[in-house]
Amino acid sequence: MTTTRRQALIATASLAIGAVLPFRAGAFVFPPEVLQDKYPADPSFDAAVSLSDLEAIAHRRLDAMSEAYIDGAAGDEITLRWNREAYDKIKILPRVLHDVSVVDTRTTVLGIPLDFPILLGPTALHKLAHPDGELATARAAASAHALMGLSTMSSTTLEDVAAASNSPKWFQLYVQKDKGFTAELVQRAVKSGYKALVVTVDTPTEGARNRQQRAGFHLPPGVDLANLRGLKTASGRAPGTEREVFENILPDKLTWKEIEWLQSLSSLPVLLKGILNPEDAALAVKQGVAGVIVSNHGARNLDTVPATIEALPRITDRVAGRITVLVDGGVRRGTDVLKALARGANAVLVGRPIFYGLSAAGEAGVVKMLGILRKEFEMAMALSGRTRISEIVPEVIWKE
Ligand code: FNR
Ligand code: LAC
């Protein structure tokens, strides 16, 4: 059997992680058929040791429009800055002289056992960063033993992504204007084995994404909204420009009534993504959804909303363990994961880092990104004197 460069890269990325982490048993799964290497890994990929190293590679490799779309946020990008600064300001208060020779990062989210509490967040159009797009991400999720969220706006169909790997997956739903089409999307997700519906509730309209607008965002040749093929648009053709793309994913109206309707469409657990207000979290509990994702959409929608790590404790207080609470936005270090869990999150999701990994080395890049974050999280647990997820309590954080 010959080993392609892609397999070698993934094996290297996996071994680099495996060498230092006491991974649980379970071999890395290589898909039977191997995609061609259309986009070789960056020469400095092997030397990358942090997510910011992968980000630097992505900045060199992404075309200007894709970079503006991926990295850009809303308005003056103040919340984008806050999402990071808020993590940086939180201090960790370690315990010493605890036996940390075995650190166990395992947890369970909505009944799904996870080796570590870091998920791949649902993000649109992975083909902008690598020609293998979401197939590479799905395979990376399986290799790294991670849960993947797939966007309604993926550039690969949800069926093909489901078939690409056996890792657990959630489907992120943008409720369409066309209710029938929305119900069909849900049925397709059920049929393909997705384990939850993540309903994005923070995007009733597009944000003022100036960076993206200045770059003239459009769908390049070969990239389309694969799940939405066949959807009738106002112009009668497939959406291509920024306005057409976003107009088509946005609902006319999304209220608690529609959430109830979505809950009735299948037996999949429903998570609401984009909760910042504790009042909405309380209504979510009342509505009987399975969980909420504390998110400001990576600061891409409404500028000057608070950083998610700042909003999180008010929501976990209000929810009081009744439903699952996840958080995303600005997670770039293992210490960030520790802080989010100390503030009551059950797990975190990452968005932009997926694109950094994809751009640097496709599937191997996403495997490496997850491996770095996982390893850093494990180090943060050991160095703060915590050996199990249940030991990551509010006291891990320094009180001023
Ligand atoms: C997103 N996000 C997103 N969210 C969603 O519900 N559906 C989607 O299709 C997308 N698409 C998308 C594309 C890109 C390029 C980015 C950067 C983000 C938001 C995403 O799920 C998540 O909330 C943020 O990305 C988290 O912040 P970080 O990790 O990027 O800082
Ligand atoms: C975005 C949309 C697709 O953030 O969620 O670009």
Side-chain angles (χ1 to χ4, degrees), residues 69-70 121-124 151 153 172 174 200 273 295 297-298 300 328-332 349-353 355:
Y69 173 65
I70 292 160
T123 41
S151 168
M153 274 180 73
Q172 176 269 330
Y174 271 125
T200 300
K273 176 172 180 283
S295 174
H297 212 106
R300 297 161 75 79
D328 73 17
V331 174
R332 300 292 181 271
L349 304 90
V350 290
R352 293 176 182 86
F355 294 89

